[in-house]
């Protein structure tokens, strides 16, 4: 029964919005601008528009995500105004539905109208995609960007705008406050705290590759869930601002507690998101300390190095046969090699004899004495997956996590220094994916 009530309110709300001139204007502006932005203007194609399968779908979602902000603000503030005026939806106020059901129905109606709008925008983009670009088409990528990029921003902006509108109760002032807040966020917060304070996720790596998939998918999902939860929390608090007399006044505490709980849950996810970067940087500091600890120790030289490599579904296994020589004038009491910390050494052999060794992160210390100009052959077996925190330790944290160093226009590709799978492998020397001496 409650679902039917909510659906009825949502259906009428959606009809009111889609029949209005504002929705039609926004539909025309969205479709026209996205077609204009995506349509090729030259006889050649820009590389950043055809290099990846996600280039066209992401550009469409990116532009729509920016444009929808103004429309949501106007629709949300106008809804509060309509509640104070006689309209076709006034009959809904006399129904014995609780404020939460009325508010949920109207919110679902707004979201439903945006769903219709986004379907039309995606259809227009697909037509441009198929007719003008020699790029493979994937409906999954369009749905992925709608669910993860567009929808959380829509919910967050709607919750914020409704909360401001219901408590300010002045159309022009509500629009001014909401628009000003979003402009300030757009201009000054996109790179603060690793992009966590940007509801559009503009500086987060957000591209798909045929080989590597999505870069840093988990942090991206975490950031989008933050704004989805914040939007839901703001919507719960916005119910308190409705002028309609509640059926159960004591339920106001339920809305307050529910909204506060969801907002705190979003803050908890924000802490988890930031902790990913802090933990990675702490690990990188430990790796730097490992290099500094052995920087004054004499090192052997690698004369030859043969590697037998075998890829797995996750990670790889390898066997290295190294020929080492003491090129110094002093004995080397312990051989020092460096290997990626994510790889586990199963054994080290010399002339079919097992050698004992100690390991501290990437530093491998082998109990073997090497006299000046003496040579030795080692056989090392290791397996596992790459820990990318070992890469480019000389770059400061601010520059290392700055996604602008690897972007093409609106597309931020992020960084990935290793690709290990059964179908595709790309490993850079900076990953220390094989043992090295210097």
């Amino acid at each position: 029964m409650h679902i039917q009530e909510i659906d009825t309110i949502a259906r009428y709300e959606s009809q009111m919005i889609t029949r209005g001139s504002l929705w039609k204007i926004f539909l025309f502006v969205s479709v026209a601008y996205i077609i204009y932005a995506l349509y090729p203007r030259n006889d050649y194609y820009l590389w950043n528009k055809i290099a990846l399968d996600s280039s066209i779908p992401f550009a469409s979602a990116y532009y729509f995500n920016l444009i929808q902000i103004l429309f949501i603000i106007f629709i949300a503030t106008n809804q509060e105004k309509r509640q104070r005026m006689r309209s076709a939806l006034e009959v809904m106020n006399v129904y014995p539905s609780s404020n939460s059901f009325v508010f949920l129905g109207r919110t679902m109606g707004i979201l439903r109208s945006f769903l219709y709008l986004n379907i039309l925008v995606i259809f227009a983009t697909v037509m441009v995609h198929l007719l003008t670009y020699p790029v493979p088409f994937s409906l999954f990528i369009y749905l992925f960007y709608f669910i993860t990029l567009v929808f959380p921003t829509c919910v967050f902006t709607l919750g914020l705008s409704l909360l401001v509108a219901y408590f300010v109760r002045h159309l022009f002032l509500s629009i001014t406050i909401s628009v000003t807040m979003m402009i300030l966020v757009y201009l000054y917060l996109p790179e603060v705290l690793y992009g966590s304070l940007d509801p559009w996720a503009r500086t987060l790596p957000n591209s798909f590759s045929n080989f590597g998939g999505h870069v840093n998918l988990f942090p991206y999902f975490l950031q989008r869930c933050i704004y989805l939860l914040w939007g839901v929390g703001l919507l719960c608090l916005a119910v308190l601002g409705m002028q309609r007399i509640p059926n159960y006044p004591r339920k106001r505490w339920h809305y307050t507690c529910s909204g506060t709980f969801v907002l705190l849950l979003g803050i908890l996810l924000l802490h988890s998101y930031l902790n990913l970067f802090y933990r990675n940087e702490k690990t990188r500091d430990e790796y730097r300390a490992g290099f500094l600890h052995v920087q004054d120790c004499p090192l052997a030289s690698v004369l030859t190095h043969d590697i037998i490599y075998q890829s797995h579904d996750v990670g790889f296994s390898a066997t290295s046969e190294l020929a080492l020589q003491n090129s110094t004038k002093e004995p080397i009491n312990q051989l020092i090699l460096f290997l990626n910390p994510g790889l586990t050494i199963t054994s080290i052999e010399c002339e079919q004899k097992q050698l004992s060794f100690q390991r501290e992160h990437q530093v491998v210390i082998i109990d073997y004495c090497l006299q000046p100009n003496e040579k030795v052959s080692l056989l090392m077996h290791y397996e596992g997956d790459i820990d990318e925190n070992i890469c480019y330790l000389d770059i400061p944290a601010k520059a290392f996590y700055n996604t602008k160093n690897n972007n093409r226009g609106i597309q931020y590709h992020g960084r990935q220094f290793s690709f290990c799978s059964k179908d595709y492998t790309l490993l850079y020397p900076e990953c220390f994916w094989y043992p090295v001496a210097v």
Side-chain angles (χ1 to χ4, degrees):
M1 182 64 181
H2 295 324
I3 297 178
Q4 185 177 0
E5 292 179 11
I6 295 173
D7 181 69
T8 300
I9 298 173
R11 186 171 66 253
Y12 277 96
E13 183 70 27
S14 177
Q15 290 176 358
M16 288 285 294
I17 294 174
T18 54
R19 290 173 182 174
S21 58
L22 182 61
W23 189 86
K24 296 176 181 178
I25 292 173
F26 183 68
L27 171 62
F28 174 78
V29 172
S30 301
V31 174
Y33 179 77
I34 290 176
I35 292 177
Y36 171 79
L38 298 181
Y39 195 83
R41 299 175 181 80
N42 303 300
D43 295 334
Y44 57 89
Y45 298 99
L46 297 178
W47 177 249
N48 62 334
K49 289 188 176 182
I50 63 173
L52 302 174
D53 293 350
S54 63
S55 298
I56 302 301
F58 172 73
S60 174
Y62 178 90
Y63 293 130
F64 181 78
N65 208 24
L66 293 177
I67 297 173
Q68 73 171 344
I69 297 298
L70 287 177
F71 181 65
I72 293 175
I73 292 175
F74 279 101
I75 289 294
T77 53
N78 188 59
Q79 187 197 69
E80 191 279 331
K81 178 183 176 182
R82 284 195 289 110
Q83 289 189 25
R84 295 184 282 106
M85 301 174 61
R86 297 183 181 276
S87 66
L89 288 179
E90 187 179 8
V91 66
M92 294 297 176
N93 291 330
V94 301
Y95 274 66
S97 300
S98 64
N99 280 0
S100 59
F101 290 158
V102 174
F103 184 85
L104 180 59
R106 290 172 176 172
T107 302
M108 294 296 294
I110 296 176
L111 294 177
R112 186 179 294 184
S113 65
F114 273 90
L115 176 62
Y116 299 153
L117 189 61
N118 197 75
I119 291 175
L120 295 175
V121 170
I122 290 177
F123 178 78
T125 307
V126 169
M127 291 297 100
V128 176
H129 187 164
L130 296 177
L131 296 177
T132 62
Y133 284 96
V135 181
F137 170 78
S138 174
L139 183 61
F140 165 77
I141 299 180
Y142 282 92
L143 297 177
F144 173 84
Y145 284 129
F146 168 73
I147 295 173
T148 64
L149 186 62
V150 176
F151 185 70
T153 305
C154 177
V155 174
F156 173 75
T157 309
L158 181 60
L160 180 63
S161 302
L162 286 175
L163 184 68
V164 172
Y166 280 148
F167 284 93
V168 174
R169 301 188 187 284
H170 189 280
L171 181 62
F172 177 76
L173 190 58
S174 299
I175 294 176
T176 302
I177 293 175
S178 299
V179 171
T180 302
M181 292 173 62
M182 300 309 292
I183 290 177
L184 293 177
V185 170
Y186 181 87
L187 294 177
Y188 298 107
L189 298 182
E191 300 178 20
V192 177
L193 296 178
Y194 309 105
S196 60
L197 301 182
D198 183 12
W200 295 279
R202 288 171 295 153
T203 59
L204 268 62
N206 206 355
S207 299
F208 275 98
S209 168
N210 292 335
F211 298 106
H214 191 286
V215 179
N216 296 330
L217 186 59
F218 179 70
Y220 171 73
F221 272 143
L222 205 58
Q223 199 264 8
R224 303 315 292 154
C225 288
I226 292 171
Y227 285 94
L228 183 61
L229 290 175
W230 282 353
V232 173
L234 293 174
L235 288 172
C236 292
L237 295 178
V239 180
L240 302 174
M242 293 185 65
Q243 289 185 326
R244 186 173 181 266
I245 299 176
N247 292 0
Y248 305 98
R250 292 183 180 180
K251 281 195 172 182
R252 293 177 62 88
W253 287 102
H254 296 176
Y255 308 143
T256 303
C257 294
S258 300
T260 304
F261 174 77
V262 177
L263 289 176
L264 291 177
L265 187 59
I267 294 175
L268 181 62
L269 289 186
L270 174 63
H271 177 268
S272 301
Y273 175 83
L274 296 177
N275 192 49
L276 292 176
F277 296 91
Y278 297 149
R279 189 169 61 247
N280 287 343
E281 190 55 30
K282 181 181 179 181
T283 302
R284 289 171 59 82
D285 287 337
E286 294 175 355
Y287 294 163
R288 294 187 184 101
F291 280 118
L292 294 176
H293 182 69
V294 297
Q295 66 177 349
D296 296 328
C297 299
L299 302 175
S301 302
V302 178
L303 300 180
T304 61
H305 191 169
D306 297 327
I307 302 174
I308 300 176
Y309 178 93
Q310 182 177 1
S311 60
H312 302 291
D313 293 335
V314 178
F316 66 94
S317 60
T319 300
S320 289
E321 185 176 355
L322 301 95
L324 303 178
Q325 181 181 18
N326 183 359
S327 301
T328 67
K329 299 180 180 180
E330 299 178 356
I332 298 178
N333 297 323
Q334 292 178 316
L335 297 177
I336 297 179
L337 299 175
F338 303 98
L339 183 66
N340 190 282
L343 300 175
T344 302
I345 300 175
T346 56
S347 66
I348 301 178
E349 303 175 9
C350 177
E351 297 178 353
Q352 297 183 348
K353 294 182 180 180
Q354 296 285 340
L355 299 180
S356 61
F357 64 92
Q358 299 86 38
R359 187 174 187 184
E360 183 179 355
H361 302 306
Q362 77 276 19
V363 182
V364 182
I365 302 176
I366 305 172
D367 296 326
Y368 190 92
C369 182
L370 200 61
Q371 299 298 324
N373 296 321
E374 183 183 356
K375 300 178 182 179
V376 65
S377 294
L378 300 180
L379 193 65
M380 180 183 293
H381 303 275
Y382 50 95
E383 61 185 11
D385 203 359
I386 295 297
D387 182 359
E388 296 187 3
N389 289 318
I390 193 67
C391 302
Y392 300 103
L393 296 177
D394 57 319
I395 300 179
K398 185 176 181 180
F400 184 79
Y401 295 110
N402 185 4
T403 55
K404 280 190 174 181
N405 294 331
N406 189 23
N407 73 303
R408 296 293 183 273
I410 63 175
Q411 298 184 25
Y412 287 75
H413 303 303
R415 290 190 182 95
Q416 188 167 348
F417 306 115
S418 66
F419 298 88
C420 289
S421 66
K422 204 168 185 63
D423 300 323
Y424 182 77
T425 299
L426 176 61
L427 297 170
Y428 294 100
E430 291 79 6
C431 297
F432 292 92
W433 65 275
Y434 55 87
V436 297
V438 290

